[in-house]
Amino acid sequence: MRAIILAAGMGLRLLQPEDKQSPKCLLKFDGMSLLERHLRMLAAAGITDVVLALGFHHEQVSQELDRLNWTPRPRIYLNPEFNLGSVLTLHVTAEAMTAGGDVLVMDADVLYDQRIFNALVAGETANRLLIDRDFEVGDEPVKLCLRDGVPVELRKQVMVGLEYDTVGESVGFFRFNEATAARLADITRDYVESGRARMPHEEAVRDLLLERGAQFETADVTGFPWIEIDYPEDVKRAADEVLPQLEPLTMVSE
């Protein structure tokens, strides 16, 4: 299994001072960066083939890897146009998506419980989504809608009249088997070649779900603590509310 961590964005909504701007994956909670938490959780599951899709201040991420002395060192794919949409960031990792085996695609800016990760990686091979049914209603969460267990929507704005029986927030982590990962690479390439590079990568995943939704299973992680960090108030909530609820992280020697 291979993990692709998307960490190219500028994080403008965090309102960081210009002289202190850094990728969100370097935010630290209890002295550990989000990146280190990702790596430790992956290593605990035996996943050492890790790809970092970087852009904004990518040299700072390289410095964090130097500090951690993490081995095997994650491979880095750079998106020089990181100010465009995240679908372009996913596209630059096409080689990793099509190299065989199951592929995890994970947002870097998430603080999450190990039980959420365990639900993602359980089993030998799978197409898997994660859903949290306890979410704040609004325009910000990416909604995952299911009908009879089959995903029928993955967007912030749900189309009026859409029929579904379950709705929740997508955690931002996806698992694809070999064939499905290769198909996602094709879809993202089409986005870029057709002038849609400014779109979020969830749009490409959405197209995949509408095409192959019956091939996906959905793990319900409702009740497990996690937070996607976009705004300054999210940083505070992560530290004050989410971090204290997390199960102790399995520590693996790098």
Side-chain angles (χ1 to χ4, degrees):
M1 194 180 302
R2 182 178 309 102
I4 298 173
I5 300 176
L6 304 180
M10 298 177 67
L12 292 176
R13 292 180 293 183
L14 280 183
L15 305 177
Q16 301 176 86
E18 188 170 346
D19 61 340
K20 295 183 179 180
Q21 290 180 341
S22 63
K24 288 191 286 183
C25 67
L26 300 184
L27 287 169
K28 288 189 175 182
F29 298 93
D30 197 22
M32 186 182 299
S33 68
L34 291 178
L35 175 61
E36 183 177 355
R37 287 179 178 276
H38 279 298
L39 293 176
R40 288 194 177 278
M41 225 169 286
L42 288 163
I47 301 169
T48 58
D49 187 355
V50 180
V51 167
L52 300 179
L54 306 179
F56 179 66
H57 283 323
H58 59 87
E59 71 285 349
Q60 294 183 16
V61 180
S62 294
Q63 290 167 6
E64 172 72 349
L65 293 174
D66 291 341
R67 185 189 70 82
L68 295 172
N69 192 29
W70 197 269
T71 56
R73 192 179 179 94
R75 287 174 290 150
I76 291 176
Y77 288 76
L78 288 180
N79 174 12
E81 297 182 285
F82 53 81
N83 57 316
L84 299 181
S86 57
V87 73
L88 181 57
T89 300
L90 185 57
H91 173 62
V92 301
T93 71
E95 180 183 51
M97 278 198 288
T98 57
D102 279 21
V103 176
L104 308 179
V105 175
M106 309 175 71
D107 289 339
D109 58 350
V110 181
L111 178 66
Y112 57 100
D113 192 270
Q114 189 154 354
R115 289 167 291 182
I116 289 177
F117 181 78
N118 292 343
L120 183 68
V121 301
E124 292 299 317
T125 185
N127 292 312
R128 185 170 295 145
L129 311 169
L130 302 180
I131 189 170
D132 184 350
R133 293 177 290 102
D134 183 16
F135 69 103
E136 296 181 2
V137 177
D139 293 337
E140 189 61 29
V142 175
K143 287 85 173 175
L144 174 59
C145 301
L146 310 175
R147 183 169 64 240
D148 297 326
V150 176
V152 293
E153 186 59 284
L154 183 74
R155 269 185 175 164
K156 291 184 177 182
Q157 299 286 344
V158 177
M159 182 176 61
V160 175
L162 179 70
E163 295 184 4
Y164 56 89
D165 50 53
T166 305
V167 61
E169 183 174 1
S170 170
V171 176
F173 299 161
F174 307 95
R175 179 175 174 179
F176 308 104
N177 65 24
E178 182 173 334
T180 307
R183 176 58 184 145
L184 179 60
D186 289 340
I187 293 172
T188 56
R189 183 183 66 246
D190 181 64
Y191 265 72
V192 174
E193 292 179 350
S194 62
R196 294 177 289 167
R198 292 186 177 275
M199 301 295 287
H201 68 281
E202 289 91 351
E203 283 296 299
V205 176
R206 175 182 183 269
D207 288 352
L208 181 69
L209 295 181
L210 296 182
E211 177 184 296
R212 302 189 178 194
Q215 299 178 22
F216 279 80
E217 58 186 55
T218 303
D220 192 330
V221 296
T222 304
F224 296 152
W226 70 282
I227 187 170
E228 181 180 7
I229 300 170
D230 290 319
Y231 298 97
E233 53 266 32
D234 295 333
V235 178
K236 180 172 175 54
R237 282 188 59 200
D240 296 346
E241 301 175 24
V242 177
L243 185 66
Q245 299 183 62
L246 300 183
E247 284 196 339
L249 187 61
T250 301
M251 303 302 284
V252 177
S253 298
E254 54 271 30

